[in-house]
Amino acid sequence: MKSSSSGKCTVVVCIAALAAGVLSTWGMLRASDLSMEAATLACLPTLLLGALGICYIVRRRAFDDAMQASLRAQLDLAARHAASHERSKRATEVAADQFRAMLEQLPAPVIAVDCGDDVLVMNTAAQKFLHLAPVARTSALPHALASLLATTARAGDGVRRSRDMSLALSEGMLAVRVDCVPMGELAIGVLIDLTAEHEAERRMGDFVAKASHELRTPLASIRAYAEMLEDATAIPESERRQLLTTMLTESDRLSRMVDQMLSISRIESGIARIHAAKVDLCELAAESVLAMRGEANAKEISLLVSPCAVVATADGDRDMLKQVMLNLLSNGIKYTPAGGTVTLTVDTDHLARSVVVQVSDTGPGIPPEAMGRLFEKFYRIESYRRLAKGTGLGLNLCRSVIEQLHGGQIGVDSTLGMGSRFWFSVPMERVGRIAA
Ligand code: ADP
């Protein structure tokens, strides 16, 4: 603004100088008798100055216009750059928001950190898993976890790192596997709870220990009796027969135990398949009672079956369901003292759309402290061991067959000293149900 007004001033002064030169030439010509050439010569410096000034101004204007045009072009370019920078900054922010939202949606606990030890994302699953409020720095995370995340983020080698670790949390120790994935200067850690895996390993260890103990017991007695029989002459005939009978019983128990162990592990590992068909449980009950009649008579137990008042048809595996019935009946007969009664009842529960089978006995009942453990592998009530031989696997197998393979339920009610009632229920036959 200032330069343009000073430019205007210069133009006025130059034009004034030129006009003054012309006027003074004309004045001189009028006032004196100077010739035209002499007057022009006298005013020449003023005229030249004015002309030069005008030339300079014209050139200067052209230069200013060019400068302004170039300045305007540069400003345009800068504005375009600024707009594109703003656009890419916005795009980066949107991508970062989407990245955060995506990690937040994941059901697995996830933590993302950068190489400057800032925690960029700690999703809700991770907060719950670690019992922590969102943290801003890795130093607020458990040490082993923070160190693995920071190492992966800083390494910049694109190498994925995975480590099992125990984290000391306010709630206690937590076994976790951390899978760290590098992404540029970030590291994304996925946390996997190992509690269930460790629990399964512990249970497997327990099972192997109990199984080898339970298998060794009959094996040891068979071996001991075999050694005694080696010197057969020193043993009277009646005792020899007794030893042989015990050996046979023990080897039967051994093979039953191995069979039950195999069946349980096939069901637990998901290999076992049921041959589902329409099964009349009233018919199955009559067959089972018939099969157990001899055992009950031998022990002077009254074995009863309540008449079926309803049609009780289920979808299931006939052989497996019969095996469960036989197992419950056999237990009733085994643990009920002579003179007692074992009763089998089949009924339907239309509300739950299931068929319910019950085996009641007048035996010793179940001590309250044993109620929650009866269906565990190898669990046997210590004081009842002398009442009958067993494997401690029968009820566990029954539970696997009913709950895992038939989607049913199994349980027991008992009053100590008054007897027990074992029951199971399986879904009623459904029209159109597909056999497995
Ligand atoms: P077992 O081969 O030892 O009978 P089970 O798994 O069938 O194995 O039963 C586990 C334990 O439950 C038995 O050892 C026994 O102590 C107890 N039990 C099962 N049925 C009865 C019952 N009807 N009355 C009393 N105790 C029972």
Side-chain angles (χ1 to χ4, degrees):
M1 196 65 152
K2 203 170 166 188
S3 78
S4 97
S5 64
S6 76
K8 274 180 195 156
C9 251
T10 319
V11 171
V12 170
V13 169
C14 290
I15 291 174
L18 202 60
V22 173
L23 279 175
S24 54
T25 312
W26 183 69
M28 276 183 202
L29 281 172
R30 289 273 316 262
S32 62
D33 50 357
L34 279 176
S35 69
M36 180 71 163
E37 287 78 13
T40 307
L41 210 61
C43 297
L44 198 60
T46 317
L47 284 169
L48 273 175
L49 200 67
L52 273 173
I54 284 172
C55 281
Y56 168 77
I57 287 157
V58 168
R59 291 288 307 271
R60 179 66 202 256
R61 276 213 75 123
F63 178 75
D64 281 357
D65 285 352
M67 281 295 285
Q68 271 178 18
S70 138
L71 210 64
R72 233 178 276 123
Q74 280 180 22
L75 279 172
D76 274 1
L77 196 66
R80 270 204 300 278
H81 274 156
S84 118
H85 176 71
E86 186 56 36
R87 267 200 306 279
S88 66
K89 194 175 142 200
R90 185 79 203 108
T92 311
E93 280 170 11
V94 169
D97 284 350
Q98 284 173 345
F99 175 67
R100 272 193 203 96
M102 190 189 77
L103 293 188
E104 184 55 51
Q105 291 304 315
L106 291 178
V110 174
I111 300 174
V113 306
D114 65 13
C115 56
D117 288 340
D118 281 331
V119 176
L120 307 179
V121 182
M122 179 172 175
N123 71 358
T124 312
Q127 292 163 36
K128 280 192 193 146
F129 186 64
L130 297 173
H131 302 281
L132 282 176
V135 299
R137 303 279 298 161
T138 52
S139 52
L141 293 171
H143 179 70
L145 172 62
S147 150
L148 182 66
L149 286 165
T151 309
T152 311
R154 286 203 198 103
D157 51 9
V159 174
R160 194 182 176 132
R161 290 168 171 79
S162 181
R163 208 154 296 156
D164 290 358
M165 52 181 77
S166 287
L167 303 180
L169 305 179
S170 53
E171 314 291 310
M173 295 303 285
L174 182 68
V176 349
R177 174 165 304 140
V178 184
D179 233 340
C180 254
V181 184
M183 268 184 76
E185 293 187 334
L186 305 185
I188 300 172
V190 182
L191 282 65
I192 302 155
D193 191 349
L194 294 181
T195 316
E197 202 176 299
H198 284 191
E199 178 58 20
E201 278 169 15
R202 192 193 59 74
R203 272 196 272 125
M204 175 55 88
D206 272 7
F207 175 73
V208 171
K210 279 184 190 162
S212 45
H213 170 77
E214 293 295 330
L215 288 172
R216 256 191 228 119
T217 313
L219 269 176
S221 61
I222 292 169
R223 188 183 165 80
Y225 295 148
E227 280 171 0
M228 285 163 79
L229 286 171
E230 234 183 354
D231 187 11
T233 49
I235 303 171
E237 179 60 19
S238 61
E239 203 175 314
R240 210 171 64 86
R241 286 199 166 280
Q242 181 60 45
L243 286 178
L244 281 170
T245 309
T246 313
M247 283 173 75
L248 283 174
T249 314
E250 284 299 280
S251 66
D252 281 352
R253 191 163 80 89
L254 197 60
S255 90
R256 205 166 52 248
M257 198 183 288
V258 171
D259 286 348
Q260 287 175 326
M261 277 165 64
L262 286 176
S263 301
I264 291 170
S265 82
R266 280 166 62 81
I267 296 173
E268 287 184 350
S269 59
I271 304 169
R273 288 278 168 272
I274 64 168
H275 302 288
K278 205 168 110 173
V279 184
D280 180 347
L281 287 164
C282 291
E283 193 185 291
L284 214 56
E287 276 179 30
S288 304
V289 165
L290 196 65
M292 298 307 291
R293 182 74 65 205
E295 208 175 301
N297 287 346
K299 235 192 120 181
E300 293 172 18
I301 300 276
S302 306
L303 185 54
L304 310 174
V305 56
S306 301
C308 263
V310 288
V311 177
T313 317
D315 275 323
D317 188 306
R318 195 173 200 284
D319 291 345
M320 289 187 181
L321 292 177
K322 187 170 175 182
Q323 204 51 54
V324 174
M325 271 192 200
L326 290 174
N327 213 309
L328 298 183
L329 284 173
S330 164
N331 277 354
I333 296 166
K334 273 196 310 189
Y335 297 104
T336 301
T341 307
V342 174
T343 312
L344 176 61
T345 313
V346 179
D347 210 342
T348 49
D349 178 347
H350 279 279
L351 211 60
R353 302 266 329 131
S354 58
V355 181
V356 185
V357 177
Q358 304 179 48
V359 176
S360 315
D361 63 53
T362 54
I366 311 291
E369 67 278 9
M371 286 292 278
R373 301 197 57 195
L374 276 194
F375 292 87
E376 280 177 18
K377 289 186 192 87
F378 298 114
Y379 181 78
R380 304 194 70 205
I381 299 169
E382 212 43 57
S383 54
Y384 295 177
R385 277 181 187 262
R386 61 183 166 77
L387 299 180
K389 287 213 172 289
T391 61
L393 289 173
L395 288 179
N396 186 270
L397 179 56
C398 289
R399 184 173 67 178
S400 297
V401 168
I402 296 300
E403 294 186 351
Q404 277 179 255
L405 296 183
H406 287 82
Q409 285 180 307
I410 191 164
V412 58
D413 313 306
S414 176
T415 309
L416 193 58
M418 303 286 286
S420 317
R421 183 183 71 99
F422 284 84
W423 60 268
F424 71 86
S425 66
V426 281
M428 254 181 208
E429 177 207 8
R430 245 190 291 155
V431 182
R433 192 166 162 182
I434 296 161

